[in-house]
Amino acid sequence: MSEVLRLDGVSKAYNQGAPNEVQVLHDVSLSLQAGEVVALEAPSGAGKSTMLHIAGLLESASEGRVIVGGEEAHSARDHRRTALRRDRIGFIYQFHHLLPEFTARDNVILPQRAAGVALGVAGARADELLKSVGLGHRINHRPAELSGGEQQRVAFCRAMANSPDILLADEPTGNLDPGTSDVVFEAMMVLVRDTGLAAIVATHNPELAARMDRRLRLVDGRLEAI
C-alpha cells in the first residue's frame, strides 16, 4: 500500500492568540494508506468536521502539515489546493447538497465538467456510478423525486465522479433510518473496495465503525486509536 494522505502535528485554534481562543485540534497525526477505510468517531462538537475540512484542504491548520499524495498541500497556493481538492479528494456530508433543479445524472456530471471532462465521457461515468449503487432506474429523476437514501447514494456517486484517491465522509448516514443507513453504507463500501481508494468516515454509529479497517477517536481534540 502507498500513503495517500498524511496529517503531521496538525493543530487548529479559532481566534488564535485572542483571549477567547478555542483550541479544537491538538497535535493530530494520521497516515492514510490507499485501499484503507478508517472510522473517525467523536461526539458532535469534538472537532471531527474541522479535522476532515483540514484534511480536505477546505480549511488551513494553525500548525502542522497536510500532505496529499506526497505533496505538501498545506503550503500550496490557493489554485493548487483547489486543483488537489477537485482531482484527488471526494467529499460526502450528512446532508446530500444535491442541486435540486438537476437530475441525478446531471449532479454526477457537473463535477466532471468542472474538471474539463467531455460531456459524453462524463455522462457515461455518471451512468456507470449510479448503476453501481442500484440507481440505474432513477438516473433522470430530480432530488425531490428520490428518497433520502437514494439522494445520499447520488451524493456518493458525485463524490466519486472524478475518481479521487481519498474520500472524506462526514456522518454520511447520519440523517437516515437504520435500514436505509445500512443500504447506503454497503453501497459506499462496495464501490470504495472496488476502486481501491482510501476513506475516512466520521460516524456516531459504532456498528458501522466496527465494519471498517481501523477505528480512531477524537478526545479533547487529540486523535487516538480504538
Side-chain angles (χ1 to χ4, degrees):
M1 292 193 296
S2 60
E3 185 181 75
V4 294
L5 173 69
R6 190 194 322 163
L7 305 184
D8 186 10
V10 166
S11 295
K12 179 65 176 181
Y14 293 99
N15 298 319
Q16 192 170 11
N20 59 342
E21 176 181 294
V22 177
Q23 188 77 32
V24 180
L25 298 177
H26 301 265
D27 194 27
V28 167
S29 293
L30 164 71
S31 177
L32 185 67
Q33 306 296 314
E36 182 181 31
V37 182
V38 174
L40 177 63
E41 300 179 59
S44 296
K48 63 182 182 299
S49 294
T50 298
M51 178 180 151
L52 291 179
H53 287 171
I54 291 172
L57 309 179
L58 293 170
E59 290 188 46
S60 296
S62 303
E63 298 178 23
R65 301 189 302 159
V66 180
I67 300 169
V68 177
E71 182 173 345
E72 300 262 0
H74 59 283
S75 56
R77 294 182 179 274
D78 285 346
H79 73 276
R80 181 58 188 157
R81 289 166 64 90
T82 298
L84 285 169
R85 280 196 304 271
R86 182 192 64 216
D87 299 336
R88 315 263 331 235
I89 303 170
F91 297 91
I92 311 175
Y93 299 99
Q94 186 170 344
F95 186 69
H96 55 78
H97 296 299
L98 298 176
L99 297 175
E101 66 271 29
F102 293 102
T103 66
R105 187 174 191 265
D106 292 334
N107 270 279
V108 182
I109 286 174
L110 285 170
Q112 299 179 76
R113 295 291 285 157
V117 177
L119 180 59
V121 175
R125 170 73 172 160
D127 293 347
E128 175 190 10
L129 286 168
L130 290 165
K131 288 174 182 176
S132 75
V133 297
L135 293 179
H137 62 302
R138 308 290 271 168
I139 282 174
N140 293 313
H141 288 72
R142 289 182 171 82
E145 301 170 310
L146 303 173
S147 69
E150 289 171 336
Q151 290 171 347
Q152 197 64 325
R153 277 182 277 169
V154 175
F156 175 59
C157 291
R158 179 183 58 191
M160 298 290 291
N162 286 330
S163 301
D165 301 315
I166 303 160
L167 178 69
L168 302 175
D170 193 355
E171 295 286 352
T173 62
N175 281 333
L176 306 175
D177 64 79
T180 304
S181 174
D182 194 63
V183 169
V184 171
F185 181 79
E186 277 303 314
M188 181 178 75
M189 289 298 288
V190 168
L191 199 50
V192 165
R193 296 299 192 197
D194 286 349
T195 56
L197 86 166
I200 302 176
V201 182
T203 181
H204 288 302
N205 188 328
E207 294 181 3
L208 293 184
R211 292 154 67 180
M212 300 185 219
D213 299 323
R214 188 155 54 105
R215 298 170 70 178
L216 302 174
R217 179 189 291 135
L218 269 174
V219 179
D220 296 327
R222 300 183 187 277
L223 196 62
E224 60 183 37
I226 298 177

